[in-house]
Amino acid sequence: MPSDNPTTSDGDSETGSGETGGPEESGTWYCKWDEMLEVGAKDMCFYFMKTDEMNDPVKRAEALGDPVNHRRCWQEGGTAIPCGMGTKEQAKMECATDCTQERDNREDGLLSDESVIPEEGTETHDTWDCSTVFFEEQVHFHDPSDGKPFCNYVMPVWGGDSSIKSFTATLSVAGSDGGSSSQTGLQGYLAMKTENCTVTKCDLVIDAMEMHSMPVIGIYTDAAGAQYSYEIWGADFQLAEELRGEYYLERGTVTFPLDSAVLRGWAEGASILDVPVPDVGPLLSMIQVEQLSGTLRDGVLSLTMGYTHDGTLGVLSLVTN
């Protein structure tokens, strides 16, 4: 896994060009640099409206003047900044790939009678540029001690040749105190492929998995029945290493006898009963999940991952859409 620490000695943390002849700088890079990093990539957005009203100048102007209801952006909710990892070139490609995928997701999420509003003349309201040329000028080396907002890593180990599917997930947590909580409707994507097939089974390779960064709001019920509201800001998780399992064709079952899932999880902060929890956020943790099982039938993957730590049990169940 790439380190957050620069590997060059020239002190040039922005270009990563290695012009002094040392090794190329490697680590974490902000995808879109803003000196204050208060906005980050939130200004990478497009506007949309009903397609059959696009030629009505009044309704078009109204839509462009209503960002709350007629705009979608790369980073919606939370303050984490999208980041790539590796060398500058690798980070640039990760940022461009994720940018494209997320724009496609936003466009796919429009209603059937809605469309992105194209720019006319000198208009500049579509600021969602996913070209590698754009990111060549924008990626900026992240110094972990710079005090800037936390990174939302955009890409894990995906090589680009496996198909991407969106998923819907449920997360259930049982605490060591006997309490519990559950979250439903979590959204994300994964990339998977089959290889080395025989007449009975194939290798199933999952080389990307990520939940969309979002605030998580819920209720924790303790063993006595008392309930506590909580919120976790910018919650996300991402597969950090390729995951390999065995897919049995006749039964449609998926097992992982020789591998475990390594997940990178993070959160920007949390509150309980609207009171911020000290020392939570930005928080990054690595989790190794060894309890894995699933099915793959008619192209739909169902996957269950269980994790136990200090008496707390977490179970994530996802189904691809």
Side-chain angles (χ1 to χ4, degrees):
M1 180 183 302
S3 166
D4 274 358
N5 297 320
T7 56
T8 59
S9 58
D10 60 7
D12 182 0
S13 64
E14 292 196 27
T15 64
S17 60
E19 294 177 353
T20 60
E24 187 175 9
E25 192 166 38
S26 180
T28 299
W29 303 75
Y30 292 116
C31 286
K32 184 178 184 298
W33 178 247
D34 178 277
E35 282 296 332
M36 300 303 294
L37 280 182
E38 295 174 347
V39 176
K42 289 185 179 180
D43 61 345
M44 294 185 71
C45 311
F46 64 71
Y47 282 79
F48 65 94
M49 63 180 296
K50 290 184 179 298
T51 307
D52 60 3
E53 297 178 351
M54 199 77 72
N55 294 325
D56 185 324
V58 174
K59 291 185 176 180
R60 189 175 185 275
E62 289 176 349
L64 291 175
D66 184 7
V68 174
N69 298 306
H70 289 273
R71 183 177 65 172
R72 293 195 173 179
C73 304
W74 187 3
Q75 292 295 102
E76 294 181 344
T79 57
I81 306 301
C83 295
M85 299 183 73
T87 65
K88 181 182 180 182
E89 184 68 20
Q90 291 169 331
K92 179 183 72 175
M93 296 304 297
E94 288 181 2
C95 293
T97 300
D98 187 75
C99 177
T100 301
Q101 177 66 32
E102 288 302 306
R103 174 158 183 152
D104 289 345
N105 287 342
R106 301 294 189 275
E107 291 182 8
D108 290 344
L110 298 179
L111 299 177
S112 59
D113 62 344
E114 296 173 334
S115 301
V116 176
I117 303 176
E119 294 179 343
E120 296 180 354
T122 59
E123 291 179 341
T124 57
H125 51 76
D126 190 336
T127 58
W128 202 327
D129 183 357
C130 295
S131 68
T132 54
V133 174
F134 171 82
F135 286 109
E136 176 68 33
E137 300 299 323
Q138 289 294 325
V139 290
H140 183 93
F141 198 83
H142 165 53
D143 179 349
S145 63
D146 64 10
K148 301 300 183 183
F150 196 61
C151 272
N152 178 356
Y153 297 99
V154 296
M155 289 292 289
V157 293
W158 184 50
D161 59 344
S162 48
S163 60
I164 286 183
K165 293 177 174 287
S166 61
F167 66 73
T168 302
T170 297
L171 175 63
S172 300
V173 177
S176 57
D177 61 352
S180 63
S181 182
S182 181
Q183 290 286 333
T184 61
L186 303 175
Q187 301 294 316
Y189 75 90
L190 60 79
M192 65 180 186
K193 60 184 176 182
T194 56
E195 59 186 24
N196 302 325
C197 292
T198 68
V199 294
T200 60
K201 68 177 183 178
C202 298
D203 289 342
L204 177 69
V205 181
I206 301 176
D207 53 12
M209 182 189 301
E210 183 175 5
M211 184 182 80
H212 299 316
S213 181
M214 60 182 292
V216 174
I217 302 172
I219 300 292
Y220 185 81
T221 304
D222 68 16
Q227 294 188 322
Y228 306 88
S229 63
Y230 64 86
E231 181 174 2
I232 303 173
W233 312 311
D236 204 344
F237 75 86
Q238 185 180 67
L239 188 68
E241 298 177 0
E242 181 182 89
L243 176 61
R244 301 184 71 90
E246 295 181 348
Y247 165 44
Y248 291 87
L249 304 178
E250 184 175 352
R251 300 191 302 271
T253 56
V254 177
T255 63
F256 299 86
L258 301 176
D259 206 356
S260 58
V262 179
L263 302 177
R264 179 192 296 117
W266 60 88
E268 298 169 44
S271 65
I272 298 176
L273 297 175
D274 295 325
V275 178
V277 179
D279 302 323
V280 176
L283 174 67
L284 172 67
S285 63
M286 300 297 293
I287 302 171
Q288 185 162 343
V289 180
E290 297 182 347
Q291 303 170 35
L292 296 161
S293 63
T295 62
L296 178 57
R297 300 187 177 111
D298 298 325
V300 177
L301 175 68
S302 298
L303 187 63
T304 299
M305 297 182 285
Y307 173 72
T308 303
H309 180 69
D310 289 342
T312 296
L313 171 65
V315 177
L316 178 74
S317 302
L318 66 84
V319 178
T320 58
N321 301 317

